[in-house]
Amino acid sequence: MSRSFFPEANRWKRRDVLRTLFFTAGAVGSASWLVGCGGSDSTAAAPTPGIGDMPDGEELPEIADELLGRFADIGPLQDADIHGVRSPQGFATRIVAINSELPQPEGMDASAPQTGGIGNRPWHIFPDGGGVVPRENGGWIYISNSEVPGAGTLGFTFPELAGLSTAIEEFTPGLAQVGTLVFDPDGTIVDSYTILSGTTFNCAGCVTPWNTWLSCEEFPNGQVWECDPYQPGEGLARPTLGFFSHEAIAIDPDERMLYLTEDMPDGRFYRWIPDPSDWPEGSDRAALQSGRLQVLAVRGEGVDAALDGPQAIEWLDVRNPHEPQHENRLPASTVFDGGEGVWFFKGVVYFATKGDDRIWAVDTLSQTIEVIYDRATAVAPNNILSGVDNLFVTSQGDILVAEDGGDMQVVVILPDGTLKPLLQVVGQDASEIAGIAFSPDGRRMYFTSDRGGRNGAGGFTNGLGMVYELILPNTL
């Protein structure tokens, strides 16, 4: 199916090792399954409420009290299955892609690698952030970034070299790409192709309300690229969204704003406000060509006080928006140590910071920020989450957090604040989990082990990346 979406104009953890050697999403609910990053819903029958639908004065704790959570009643994790995944009783897994192998119509099994397959490209290495868009026939497309480092990534690991690495990056095309898996309604894989290439260290991103994919480059001069997931091709750079180590994006479609994280030790949290002509009121999409980039500053009693309760925030226009932001820091802006996943849900923007293992909540109504999970102060049994990374929020209020390291789990933060493990990948301790996304009917959840692979003996271990499908029981 061919269609055009573009306007006419125009861890400190395991990944650091790789960066050095080489010198990186539909909400789920009972009635509304497929929601783009940030909580916009352009395809489902029952749209997720935006901030304009909320009663005046309703804040985060009151919202949480009304939501029960889709995964509130799941049981403990069972023993690992043949694919190396522990999940609650009633769940099952399938492997749908493995690095350097052609995807198979029925998925990959634990036997020897296949020689034939779907598409004209082996699956890319280091799959990271991902998303899903629907097809007109009832199927769907899973979109997957490839987090392959390049010259510019040297400046991520060694910020003092960012200027040199950025200059080299200008003359050395990146090795990252964005690939797709195309599914029929019954889950059969029918195609696979590339929608972006030549970029560097593509980490997470966002499915837009208009069903394009925003892919984020994670290095000091990185950009955001907009891609058409419905056909092979190349994306378009969107420089208005800034030049920095982009990690992820969330979109508030009602207020027409984008929120962006920066994965650096001295990173910031940003929002982008389109010019009126870029995303006119009533328009179904933004052109993403002109707007204001702003950075967050915590006021009140300061960012540390956000552990104890909401603190007032202010948005400041960035300095020199078309230059690398690590060279143009505003002293009044607030540092967030390693920004990771971000998601917009019912007037709240959730985001993770890996440097301090925290989940933050920005209330866009009251313009406040608070910490809703802090590893250092969490008390058992609600302290099982470490290595926070990608985020996904279901339409029932579950916050799914993928771990970079930690126990290689996806952990659910329920609306009442209780934590439960949803799954765990074993035998791949050098990897991380990312790329959480759901099929339009909500029955299948996709995630990556971005450094998993075959062990040569019919099982799986550390490797160059693979994509899993978690099949949910009918009771959920």
Side-chain angles (χ1 to χ4, degrees):
M1 176 170 56
S2 175
R3 60 175 83 174
S4 175
F5 286 97
F6 300 113
E8 292 299 320
N10 58 269
R11 252 179 221 295
W12 337 158
K13 297 183 181 177
R14 292 161 175 79
R15 290 195 290 183
D16 286 339
V17 177
L18 188 64
R19 292 181 177 116
T20 304
L21 290 176
F22 267 83
F23 340 66
T24 285
V28 177
S30 58
S32 177
W33 293 110
L34 182 63
V35 179
C37 275
S40 64
D41 185 354
S42 57
T43 63
T48 300
I51 62 175
D53 302 309
M54 295 173 58
D56 292 341
E58 189 169 22
E59 298 181 355
L60 177 61
E62 297 175 19
I63 296 173
D65 289 343
E66 296 177 359
L67 299 170
L68 299 178
R70 187 186 187 198
F71 298 104
D73 295 326
I74 60 173
L77 301 184
Q78 306 296 300
D79 292 340
D81 63 15
I82 61 171
H83 301 132
V85 178
R86 300 179 64 209
S87 59
Q89 186 173 3
F91 290 73
T93 62
R94 179 172 70 142
I95 296 172
V96 294
I98 298 179
N99 71 87
S100 305
E101 299 181 28
L102 289 172
Q104 304 294 311
E106 301 302 325
M108 326 292 285
D109 60 28
S111 63
Q114 303 293 312
T115 55
I118 298 297
N120 59 5
R121 54 178 287 279
W123 191 248
H124 50 259
I125 64 174
F126 308 147
D128 202 279
V132 164
V133 295
R135 299 175 63 205
E136 290 179 348
N137 70 347
W140 58 93
I141 300 171
Y142 179 71
I143 310 159
S144 174
N145 281 348
S146 175
E147 196 185 40
V148 181
T153 321
L154 184 63
F156 183 101
T157 308
F158 305 103
E160 65 274 14
L161 300 179
L164 174 62
S165 65
T166 294
I168 297 174
E169 180 76 29
E170 294 289 333
F171 301 98
T172 54
L175 300 176
Q177 58 186 251
V178 179
T180 63
L181 294 171
V182 182
F183 293 85
D184 267 352
D186 64 356
T188 300
I189 303 170
V190 296
D191 203 357
S192 177
Y193 48 81
T194 302
I195 59 174
L196 177 66
S197 60
T199 51
T200 293
F201 219 57
N202 292 65
C203 195
C206 178
V207 173
T208 67
W210 47 94
N211 285 335
T212 62
W213 172 249
L214 300 182
S215 183
C216 295
E217 288 185 301
E218 187 187 347
F219 70 95
N221 199 37
Q223 296 192 69
V224 174
W225 297 75
E226 187 173 20
C227 313
D228 180 353
Y230 290 96
Q231 58 187 352
E234 297 297 333
L236 297 177
R238 298 304 188 195
T240 186
L241 299 181
F243 295 81
F244 54 88
S245 290
H246 288 273
E247 173 75 23
I249 299 176
I251 299 177
D252 176 353
D254 295 314
E255 296 300 311
R256 302 190 300 283
M257 292 185 186
L258 277 64
Y259 295 89
L260 310 95
T261 52
E262 180 181 19
D263 191 353
M264 292 284 282
D266 64 340
R268 281 8 184 216
F269 187 67
Y270 301 88
R271 77 175 180 184
W272 180 81
I273 305 174
D275 291 341
S277 61
D278 191 280
W279 194 350
E281 187 172 356
S283 174
D284 61 358
R285 69 151 295 155
L288 299 180
Q289 294 181 358
S290 60
R292 294 165 57 199
L293 186 65
Q294 298 184 317
V295 62
L296 185 143
V298 179
R299 301 309 189 201
E301 298 179 31
V303 67
D304 292 335
L307 283 166
D308 301 318
Q311 301 299 312
I313 61 173
E314 180 182 2
W315 294 97
L316 311 172
D317 289 343
V318 303
R319 178 186 299 160
N320 300 323
H322 297 295
E323 297 180 4
Q325 284 304 298
H326 73 281
E327 298 174 352
N328 290 273
R329 301 295 194 200
L330 290 175
S333 61
T334 298
V335 173
F336 292 96
D337 188 356
E340 291 286 347
V342 59
W343 202 273
F344 174 82
F345 176 68
K346 288 194 173 185
V348 178
V349 183
Y350 298 96
F351 70 97
T353 50
K354 69 184 179 194
D356 47 19
D357 267 334
R358 289 177 177 175
I359 308 295
W360 305 76
V362 174
D363 189 323
T364 62
L365 290 175
S366 63
Q367 287 295 292
T368 59
I369 188 171
E370 62 182 305
V371 176
I372 62 169
Y373 176 79
D374 175 57
R375 168 72 170 176
T377 58
V379 178
N382 284 345
N383 60 349
I384 60 173
L385 176 59
S386 62
V388 301
D389 201 290
N390 278 196
L391 289 186
F392 187 105
V393 182
T394 75
S395 63
Q396 286 147 311
D398 313 89
I399 305 173
L400 278 57
V401 186
E403 290 187 338
D404 176 359
D407 299 327
M408 279 291 289
Q409 295 188 113
V410 173
V411 176
V412 181
I413 304 177
L414 296 171
D416 65 1
T418 302
L419 272 63
K420 282 193 172 185
L422 176 60
L423 62 86
Q424 180 180 25
V425 177
V426 300
Q428 301 175 32
D429 291 343
S431 186
E432 64 176 280
I433 296 178
I436 298 175
F438 284 79
S439 60
D441 63 2
R443 308 316 311 172
R444 304 165 189 255
M445 187 187 96
Y446 299 93
F447 65 96
T448 69
S449 173
D450 78 339
R451 283 160 187 81
R454 297 188 185 275
N455 65 9
F460 302 94
T461 185
N462 299 317
L464 297 180
M466 55 199 293
V467 182
Y468 287 93
E469 179 185 83
L470 181 71
I471 303 168
L472 279 64
N474 293 329
T475 54
L476 288 177

